[in-house]
């Protein structure tokens, strides 16, 4: 008999919104969030309607600015930058540390906002907040040797990031950039996260950290946030199409840049027998529905091992848990343990479902399709943003699933017979952020791994973006500009000696750390 679920007590959107009004009344109005620029919260911009991917219910939308307001915001940020870069490092450390204390105090509210705005299960939402706080504390504690004789940039850092990691990627980067002596500007992602980012920026602004937060379309704001002469560096996280336009602009202007773009991260299987380890890791690879830049949506499998691969893979993928992130049996029960909830919106869910159907029509073989009956939903809730796990064998070359990252819970499998075919299939997207080669033989790994065009390659284990002193970047079209992570993030947003060449992937050179 199916269970009848209910919403966990105290976790409704209205509960979260009320807590936002109490925590930061300067940044939230009765029915909308505000933009933050020129050191004050502004009730400008046109607030668009928005719905939660969790159940299709209304939530706060981004207050979109036009070009003229964005230009004024950037000019004001330059004034903030010129003042902030003169603030001694000990005071910058104290203000950023105070911000981290405030974020810690409101940790659960920030996580709840992530659940409603971008559909993260509670465990992953909390982890996103914690990684931001813990990661920046590492920089606060060890910033002096990273700075050394380096100085802030000539203008503020402009951040344009995707919606999937508002805290551990975007807020983390902003606070480290500020710690290094720069004013920071961020555009709220169009698809979600505006309330979470607004609360985080309100807490930072209270401590005197020079933060600007604006909303708007990329086309409307790119002239100000990318091309404006006041901008000292552009930091971008997103897809290749938008990233290519940003890359062209910053190259034309000779502007400092960090552009993290998508790539098809692959997991190769070659002369491998540790199937128990693969079975254990498969559900983890579905965290957040593979809506991560370091997700693994492609398995490249030695044909002679395909039967053993399936015997290990299929039982694992059938255990993946999907559902409403706040649905419980009793209102005071713990949060449900899920691998993922909805995709970012119903349009993305339809697009991905259509791609799957088209791939099957053109010859892909469906090996697994999750059942809605196995998911945890509230009675009668809108489920239009949910896609259940799918596994396809041999997607046709005409399908986007053959060559591009699906950014959703779809695995594709390609079979190969030779090492050359293995490498070609693992390098299908002209560069990736991460890859894994699962092989029993160390010599085989040592010989093949350097030929895989990914910034990080694991042996039988997934690689991630990393925290603290772990470096991060990409090869080929997956990354442009300076690499980050550890001290490289500080180097990317400061100036060193004349003629310095930063580690990174640039049109004129590629320099590994």
């Amino acid at each position: 008999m199916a269970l009848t679920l209910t919403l966990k007590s105290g976790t409704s959107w209205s509960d979260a919104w009320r807590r936002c009004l109490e925590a930061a009344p300067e940044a939230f109005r009765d029915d909308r969030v505000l933009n933050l620029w020129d050191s004050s919260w502004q009730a400008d911009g046109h607030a668009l309607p928005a719905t939660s991917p969790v159940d299709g219910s209304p939530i706060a939308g981004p207050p979109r600015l036009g070009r003229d307001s964005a230009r004024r915001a950037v000019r004001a940020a330059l004034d903030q930058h010129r003042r902030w870069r003169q603030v001694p490092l000990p005071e910058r450390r104290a203000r950023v540390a105070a911000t981290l204390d405030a974020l810690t105090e409101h940790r659960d509210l920030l996580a709840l906002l992530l659940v409603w705005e971008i559909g993260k299960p509670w465990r992953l939402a909390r982890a996103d907040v914690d990684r931001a706080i813990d990661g920046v504390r590492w920089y606060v504690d060890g910033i002096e040797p990273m700075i050394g004789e380096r100085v802030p940039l000539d203008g503020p850092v402009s951040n344009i990031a995707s919606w999937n990691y508002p805290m551990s990627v975007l807020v983390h980067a902003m606070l480290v950039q500020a710690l290094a002596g720069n004013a920071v500007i961020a555009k709220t992602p169009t698809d979600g996260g505006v309330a979470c980012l607004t609360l985080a920026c309100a807490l930072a602004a209270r401590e005197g950290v020079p933060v600007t937060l604006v909303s708007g379309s990329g086309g409307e704001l790119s002239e100000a946030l990318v091309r404006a002469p006041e901008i000292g560096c552009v930091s971008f996280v997103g897809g290749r199409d938008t990233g290519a336009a940003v890359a062209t602009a910053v190259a034309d202007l000779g502007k400092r840049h960090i552009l993290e773009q998508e790539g098809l991260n692959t997991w190769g299987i070659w002369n491998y027998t540790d199937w128990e380890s693969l079975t254990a890791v498969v559900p983890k690879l579905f965290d957040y529905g593979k809506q991560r830049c370091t997700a693994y949506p492609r398995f490249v499998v030695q044909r002679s091992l395909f039967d053993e691969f399936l015997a290990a893979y299929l039982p694992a993928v059938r255990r993946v848990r999907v559902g409403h992130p706040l649905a419980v049996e009793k209102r005071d029960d713990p949060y449900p343990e899920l691998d993922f909830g909805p995709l970012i919106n119903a349009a993305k869910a339809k697009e991905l479902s259509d791609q799957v159907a088209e791939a099957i029509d053109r010859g892909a073989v469906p090996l697994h399709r999750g059942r809605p009956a196995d998911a945890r939903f509230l009675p009668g809730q809108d489920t239009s943003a949910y896609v259940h796990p799918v596994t396809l064998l041999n997607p046709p070359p005409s399908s986007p699933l053959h060559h591009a990252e699906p950014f959703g819970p779809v695995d594709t499998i390609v079979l190969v017979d030779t090492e050359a075919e293995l490498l070609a299939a693992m390098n299908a997207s002209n560069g990736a952020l991460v890859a894994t080669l699962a092989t029993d033989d160390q010599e085989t790994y040592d010989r093949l791994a350097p030929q895989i065009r990914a910034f990080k390659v694991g042996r039988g284990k997934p690689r991630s973006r990393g925290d603290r002193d772990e470096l991060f970047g990409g090869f080929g079209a997956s990354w442009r500009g300076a690499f980050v992570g550890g001290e490289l993030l500080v180097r990317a947003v400061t100036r060193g000696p004349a003629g310095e060449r930063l580690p990174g992937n640039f049109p004129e050179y590629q320099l590994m750390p």
Side-chain angles (χ1 to χ4, degrees):
M1 180 177 177
L3 294 173
T4 299
L5 302 178
T6 187
L7 193 69
K8 180 174 172 60
S9 178
T11 65
S12 70
W13 172 255
S14 60
D15 291 326
W17 188 254
R18 173 185 51 78
R19 291 166 63 186
C20 287
L21 292 170
E22 294 171 355
E26 70 273 26
F28 295 85
R29 290 284 171 87
D30 290 340
D31 59 348
R32 61 173 292 177
V33 300
L34 307 184
N35 289 299
L36 171 61
W37 59 275
D38 197 14
S39 302
S40 63
W41 292 95
Q42 316 263 1
D44 53 6
H46 174 60
L48 295 182
T51 57
S52 170
V54 170
D55 62 2
S57 60
I59 59 173
R64 295 169 63 128
L65 291 180
R67 296 179 185 178
D68 290 343
S69 295
R71 290 193 190 100
R72 292 198 299 272
V74 169
R75 286 195 291 268
L78 177 61
D79 292 336
Q80 286 182 302
H81 179 81
R82 288 169 173 165
R83 294 190 296 269
W84 179 250
R85 62 180 296 166
Q86 303 303 320
V87 173
L89 180 57
E91 184 175 344
R92 299 202 303 264
R93 286 183 62 193
R95 294 189 187 184
V96 172
T99 300
L100 298 178
D101 292 342
L103 292 174
T104 302
E105 179 184 351
H106 295 284
R107 169 196 186 209
D108 284 357
L109 175 54
L110 291 163
L112 183 58
L113 293 170
L114 291 180
V115 173
W116 280 109
E117 293 192 287
I118 63 174
K120 283 202 170 184
W122 180 252
R123 170 179 60 88
L124 300 177
R126 285 273 293 264
D128 193 20
V129 177
D130 290 344
R131 285 181 62 191
I133 295 169
D134 296 343
V136 178
R137 282 200 195 280
W138 182 83
Y139 283 95
V140 169
D141 292 339
I143 189 64
E144 286 93 341
M146 299 184 207
I147 290 285
E149 300 299 318
R150 305 183 70 82
V151 298
L153 300 176
D154 294 333
V157 182
S158 177
N159 294 271
I160 303 169
S162 59
W163 43 264
N164 52 346
Y165 284 90
M167 293 296 297
S168 63
V169 174
L170 181 51
V171 170
H172 176 279
M174 293 166 64
L175 292 179
V176 176
Q177 293 159 7
L179 182 63
N182 304 287
V184 294
I185 305 169
K187 185 181 93 65
T188 59
T190 303
D191 288 322
V194 61
C196 178
L197 286 170
T198 299
L199 177 57
C201 288
L203 300 175
R206 284 180 183 176
E207 303 301 336
V209 178
V211 176
T212 294
L213 182 68
V214 295
S215 295
S217 72
E220 280 283 303
L221 302 192
S222 63
E223 189 69 28
L225 300 185
V226 175
R227 293 181 171 275
E230 294 92 342
I231 299 296
C233 176
V234 176
S235 177
F236 170 87
V237 180
R240 289 192 179 186
D241 291 343
T242 304
V246 174
T248 299
V250 295
D252 291 346
L253 299 167
K255 197 181 292 291
R256 183 75 64 90
H257 58 283
I258 306 161
L259 309 182
E260 176 185 333
Q261 301 171 149
E262 63 187 315
L264 184 60
N265 305 317
T266 58
W267 190 293
I269 306 282
W270 190 261
N271 292 341
Y272 182 71
T273 60
D274 189 8
W275 301 113
E276 185 176 340
S277 293
L278 180 69
T279 298
V281 80
V282 165
K284 299 175 184 177
L285 300 182
F286 276 89
D287 272 357
Y288 196 32
K290 296 185 182 268
Q291 296 178 104
R292 314 188 316 269
C293 64
T294 53
Y296 286 85
R298 168 68 51 79
F299 286 92
V300 181
V301 181
Q302 189 175 2
R303 191 183 306 273
S304 61
L305 299 179
F306 186 46
D307 57 337
E308 295 177 82
F309 170 83
L310 283 184
Y313 173 88
L314 289 176
V317 75
R318 289 172 185 142
R319 294 201 304 267
V320 172
R321 302 157 298 181
V322 184
H324 188 304
L326 303 172
V328 293
E329 294 177 34
K330 299 178 182 178
R331 288 180 57 81
D332 293 327
D333 281 354
Y335 290 90
E337 285 291 332
L338 301 173
D339 295 296
F340 66 92
L343 299 194
I344 186 58
N345 53 47
K348 173 61 182 176
K350 182 180 185 306
E351 173 191 289
L352 189 56
S353 297
D354 288 348
Q355 288 178 354
V356 168
E358 181 183 58
I360 294 172
D361 286 344
R362 295 181 180 182
V365 179
L367 300 177
H368 171 75
R369 281 188 272 198
R371 302 185 308 165
D374 295 332
R376 295 172 56 92
F377 293 127
L378 297 179
Q381 79 161 82
D382 184 324
T383 61
S384 59
Y386 292 78
V387 172
H388 302 276
V390 176
T391 307
L392 301 178
L393 174 65
N394 290 336
S398 59
S399 168
L401 298 176
H402 179 80
H403 55 80
E405 182 180 9
F407 231 63
V410 176
D411 275 344
T412 56
I413 300 172
V414 173
L415 303 182
V416 295
D417 296 298
T418 67
E419 290 183 354
E421 290 178 325
L422 174 81
L423 291 171
M426 293 190 72
N427 293 327
S429 67
N430 182 26
L433 303 174
V434 296
T436 290
L437 178 59
T439 181
D440 293 345
D441 182 50
Q442 183 67 49
E443 186 278 331
T444 299
Y445 176 83
D446 292 342
R447 178 166 44 82
L448 297 180
Q451 302 178 66
I452 299 171
R453 288 185 51 77
F455 188 79
K456 295 181 180 182
V457 180
R459 182 183 172 198
K461 296 180 180 179
R463 299 301 307 270
S464 69
R465 203 175 192 279
D467 295 302
R468 303 184 179 188
D469 58 352
E470 190 171 350
L471 308 181
F472 192 57
F475 286 153
S478 69
W479 194 281
R480 301 171 191 264
F483 295 148
V484 296
E487 68 170 338
L488 291 192
L489 176 53
V490 174
R491 290 173 65 181
V493 295
T494 54
R495 293 201 177 276
E500 177 186 43
R501 296 208 313 169
L502 295 173
N505 188 20
F506 296 91
E508 61 274 18
Y509 73 88
Q510 181 184 85
L511 179 63
M512 292 299 295

